[in-house]
Amino acid sequence: MSKKLEGNGLWESSRIIIPEHKEAYLKLMKDCQRRGEPELDDQEAQLIEQALIESYNTCQPITLVIFSPFDDEELTGVITSINTARREVKLFRGEDNFSWIKLEGIISASI
């Protein structure tokens, strides 16, 4: 008799995964890798704000680390605008290339 028909072989050899189940499983595994947003203490928040203001006043390039649930993003450019009402900064990264970045998303800034 074949090994497929012995023990649990009958069920193991007939296992089928439909595409919907595979997609749901992969989504679940990706969601399990999601990280929580770090909380910055007041001193670190002040250092970030000082670096942003210094880049804005002196037109110096700044490197920002932006929080993402799966992998942090690092952007480099010059702060050209600070919108305090919307709590955003405009990071100019080159010819016609800029981003509006929320202050809450910035976890690190260095000049």
Side-chain angles (χ1 to χ4, degrees):
M1 201 175 252
S2 145
K3 280 188 162 184
K4 289 184 178 182
L5 299 179
E6 294 176 1
N8 198 21
L10 180 64
W11 299 110
E12 291 292 327
S13 64
S14 66
R15 190 178 301 173
I16 297 174
I17 298 175
I18 61 175
E20 291 83 6
H21 288 171
K22 182 179 179 182
E23 289 173 19
Y25 176 75
L26 292 176
K27 184 179 182 305
L28 177 67
M29 290 295 107
K30 187 172 182 177
D31 286 344
C32 287
Q33 295 174 351
R34 183 177 296 263
R35 300 178 302 147
E37 189 169 350
E39 290 189 29
L40 301 176
D41 62 348
D42 292 335
Q43 185 177 12
E44 183 68 26
Q46 280 184 334
L47 291 174
I48 291 171
E49 289 173 10
Q50 287 175 355
L52 293 172
I53 291 169
E54 185 176 340
S55 175
Y56 177 70
N57 290 334
T58 62
C59 295
Q60 262 187 318
I62 188 170
T63 301
L64 301 176
V65 178
I66 312 300
F67 172 77
S68 176
F70 300 106
D71 191 26
D72 294 338
E73 183 179 2
E74 191 171 293
L75 301 174
T76 301
V78 176
I79 302 297
T80 57
S81 179
I82 299 175
N83 188 333
T84 56
R86 292 175 43 194
R87 297 195 42 82
E88 292 179 331
V89 294
K90 184 177 185 180
L91 183 70
F92 182 73
R93 294 182 282 163
E95 195 68 32
D96 295 331
N97 188 5
F98 65 90
S99 302
W100 282 99
I101 301 169
K102 296 266 185 206
L103 292 177
E104 296 82 27
I106 301 172
I107 57 175
S108 176
S110 60
I111 292 182

